[in-house]
Amino acid sequence: MVTQEVPCVSRRLEDAHSLDEFSTSYKEVLNINNMKKSEVSGVMAKADIKPKFIHHAKTWSDDVENLYRFQQAGYRDEVEYKQVKQVDMVECWPETGFVKKLQRRDNTFFYYNKQRECEDKEVHKVKIYVY
């Protein structure tokens, strides 16, 4: 079934390319076999990664705490924060591993304590994104 759909898609892309609807050909976009692993991972890191599905947290954990902090600052999670702000690392407290400081989209900063900030009544509001 998949083999039947792929030629159809590639034919449509060839037709669209011949009509100058795309600036690069599908062969240039899909040809990752000639790329090195570092180049592929670099492209994936800069790609706009979308989550497959979402569910809400049921109990508190260290991961839920960090997700709470990212979502308070206006981001889905660490992945989106790194994509938007184009940073390699997020500043964390060395003692607890919790996020220490985040820059919001309007360039103001959120500063967080070393201790837990996500109260039990807030846990169910935290969204967990699965990629």
Side-chain angles (χ1 to χ4, degrees):
M1 179 179 233
V2 173
T3 57
Q4 293 175 350
E5 292 177 9
V6 172
C8 178
V9 171
S10 64
R11 218 176 306 118
R12 287 184 185 155
L13 285 172
E14 285 176 340
D15 294 342
H17 181 66
S18 67
L19 296 173
D20 292 330
E21 291 181 24
F22 296 110
S23 60
T24 58
S25 71
Y26 74 97
K27 293 177 184 175
E28 293 171 2
V29 174
L30 298 177
N31 191 10
I32 60 170
N33 294 333
N34 295 335
M35 297 175 90
K36 297 177 185 175
K37 281 188 176 182
S38 61
E39 292 174 349
V40 173
S41 63
V43 170
M44 291 301 290
K46 294 177 183 176
D48 189 21
I49 300 172
K50 301 286 184 188
K52 292 181 182 176
F53 61 91
I54 305 167
H55 63 275
H56 290 269
K58 305 288 185 227
T59 58
W60 183 90
S61 69
D62 291 349
D63 293 329
V64 170
E65 178 67 33
N66 280 332
L67 285 171
Y68 174 78
R69 294 173 185 220
F70 281 108
Q71 291 170 15
Q72 287 294 102
Y75 301 96
R76 285 191 305 251
D77 52 16
E78 186 174 356
V79 173
E80 184 184 37
Y81 181 77
K82 287 180 176 181
Q83 285 176 351
V84 172
K85 291 300 174 185
Q86 298 184 357
V87 295
D88 293 329
M89 291 190 60
V90 178
E91 194 171 336
C92 296
W93 290 103
E95 299 88 1
T96 59
F98 296 149
V99 173
K100 183 177 184 178
K101 176 179 77 172
L102 293 174
Q103 187 176 9
R104 293 178 21 162
R105 293 174 193 262
D106 63 357
N107 293 327
T108 59
F109 287 89
F110 273 10
Y111 294 91
Y112 298 100
N113 296 326
K114 293 179 189 177
Q115 291 80 24
R116 175 181 174 178
E117 292 195 8
C118 180
E119 298 178 15
D120 285 332
K121 64 181 181 180
E122 302 288 324
V123 169
H124 74 282
K125 296 178 183 176
V126 176
K127 296 176 184 174
I128 300 173
Y129 295 88
V130 180
Y131 295 90

